[in-house]
Amino acid sequence: MLEPFDDSYYMKKALQEAEAAYEKGEVPIGAVIVIEDRIIARAHNLTEQLNDVTAHAEMQAITAAANFLGGKYLQNCTLYVTLEPCQMCAGALYWSQISRIVYGAKDEQRGCGVMGTKLHPKTKILGGVLEQEASALIKRFFIQKRNLN
Amino acid sequence: MLEPFDDSYYMKKALQEAEAAYEKGEVPIGAVIVIEDRIIARAHNLTEQLNDVTAHAEMQAITAAANFLGGKYLQNCTLYVTLEPCQMCAGALYWSQISRIVYGAKDEQRGCGVMGTKLHPKTKILGGVLEQEASALIKRFFIQKRNLN
């Protein structure tokens, strides 16, 4: 049976991106952007490799999606990201006027929720999709990192 | 007499960047990043040319400065920017742990102050340096844009 194109389906694609980050020694966070059941951007965190705090998965995905669409606004798009966006990424999503944000695990320390970052009035947000998987991958990364140091 | 290397001196450099943005039809905002009296990054807003909401002057300056320094943290650096940073840029500056932010004009609508964006505890912020010049340039841009439409 074919898998339906639902939130879990796209979050699995974002998790694949997070795994790619993991394999590069990056904090494992991945993102995809979808319009009309089509993935138009895939990205994962590259802050270590690029030595750049702005290289979060979401930021790269926003740039890639706008490039694909030929316009800077991401109306009718949904971002799937394995961890709740931070202030920077939520701020970028604000400017993009994206229609929907779906995240996996909540970031209780630095997530846009606890930090009070404002989203665009046009943007809906939903958390907790494949939360366990997203959270387990991040925990595994930090346990391994601790053991290596 | 040589100009002293003070906040006004570097803000003038940021204003030159803002003027470069103006000439390209971009909202005229410019930024420079300074470490030990040396400018290590210059950038101006390119959101229209790049079709990318993330292409604010500050974001490009952060990436360029980290590239110059060979590390992603901007300790001992000062960002000079002609307009108060937005949520996205303040969020990026949070991650960079930059020592100091100096801005020209206040952004009463979308600035990090009114939006409540958190800065890093290590970061000091000062506004109002060459405020009139920064503000006048932005106002001139929007008046001209209105007249063209």
Side-chain angles (χ1 to χ4, degrees):
Chain A
M1 204 183 84
L2 281 173
E3 259 189 286
F5 290 156
D6 58 9
D7 286 342
S8 293
Y9 175 86
Y10 293 114
M11 189 59 80
K12 276 179 202 158
K13 303 296 179 189
L15 277 164
Q16 286 171 7
E17 287 295 319
E19 282 159 16
Y22 186 99
E23 282 161 26
K24 292 175 183 171
E26 299 279 354
V27 179
I29 300 163
V32 300
I33 292 179
V34 174
I35 189 168
E36 293 169 2
D37 288 335
R38 183 174 175 189
I39 295 174
I40 59 170
R42 299 169 194 261
H44 53 265
N45 178 34
L46 283 175
T47 49
E48 296 303 319
Q49 285 214 337
L50 299 181
N51 257 337
D52 187 347
V53 297
T54 76
H56 283 191
E58 301 96 311
M59 300 300 282
Q60 298 174 70
I62 291 166
T63 299
N67 196 38
F68 176 88
L69 295 171
K72 63 189 170 131
Y73 297 115
L74 304 183
Q75 283 138 345
N76 306 316
C77 291
T78 299
L79 169 84
Y80 293 87
V81 59
T82 57
L83 184 69
E84 184 189 5
C86 72
Q87 297 189 117
M88 169 180 71
C89 295
L93 291 161
Y94 177 100
W95 291 123
S96 80
Q97 303 186 15
I98 198 162
S99 296
R100 199 160 164 255
I101 300 168
V102 180
Y103 67 84
K106 193 157 186 65
D107 185 345
E108 300 284 4
Q109 263 78 51
R110 309 277 179 80
C112 56
V114 70
M115 297 297 255
T117 317
K118 272 105 192 149
L119 296 175
H120 195 278
K122 289 181 188 164
T123 305
K124 292 186 171 68
I125 187 163
L126 172 73
V129 174
L130 303 188
E131 184 173 4
Q132 299 301 320
E133 290 83 340
S135 170
L137 189 62
I138 295 170
K139 278 183 194 144
R140 181 148 59 91
F141 175 83
F142 283 109
I143 289 167
Q144 197 195 27
K145 208 181 162 192
R146 227 176 5 246
N147 293 343
L148 287 174
N149 287 342
Chain B
M1 203 183 85
L2 279 173
E3 260 190 286
F5 289 157
D6 59 8
D7 286 343
S8 293
Y9 176 86
Y10 293 114
M11 189 60 79
K12 277 181 202 158
K13 303 295 179 189
L15 277 164
Q16 287 172 6
E17 287 295 320
E19 282 160 14
Y22 187 99
E23 282 160 27
K24 292 175 182 169
E26 299 279 354
V27 179
I29 300 164
V32 301
I33 293 180
V34 174
I35 189 168
E36 294 169 2
D37 288 335
R38 184 175 176 187
I39 295 174
I40 59 170
R42 299 169 194 262
H44 51 265
N45 178 34
L46 284 174
T47 48
E48 296 303 318
Q49 285 215 336
L50 298 180
N51 256 336
D52 186 348
V53 296
T54 76
H56 283 192
E58 301 96 310
M59 301 301 281
Q60 296 174 70
I62 291 167
T63 298
N67 197 37
F68 177 88
L69 294 170
K72 63 189 171 135
Y73 297 116
L74 304 183
Q75 283 139 345
N76 306 315
C77 291
T78 299
L79 169 84
Y80 293 88
V81 59
T82 57
L83 184 69
E84 185 188 4
C86 72
Q87 297 189 119
M88 169 181 71
C89 295
L93 291 161
Y94 178 101
W95 291 122
S96 80
Q97 303 186 15
I98 198 161
S99 296
R100 201 161 163 255
I101 300 168
V102 179
Y103 66 85
K106 193 156 185 68
D107 185 346
E108 300 285 4
Q109 262 78 53
R110 308 278 177 79
C112 56
V114 69
M115 296 299 254
T117 316
K118 271 102 189 152
L119 296 175
H120 196 277
K122 289 181 189 164
T123 305
K124 291 185 172 65
I125 187 162
L126 171 72
V129 174
L130 302 189
E131 184 173 4
Q132 298 301 319
E133 290 85 339
S135 171
L137 190 63
I138 295 170
K139 276 183 196 144
R140 181 149 58 93
F141 175 82
F142 283 109
I143 288 167
Q144 195 194 29
K145 208 181 162 191
R146 229 181 358 251
N147 292 344
L148 286 174
N149 286 341

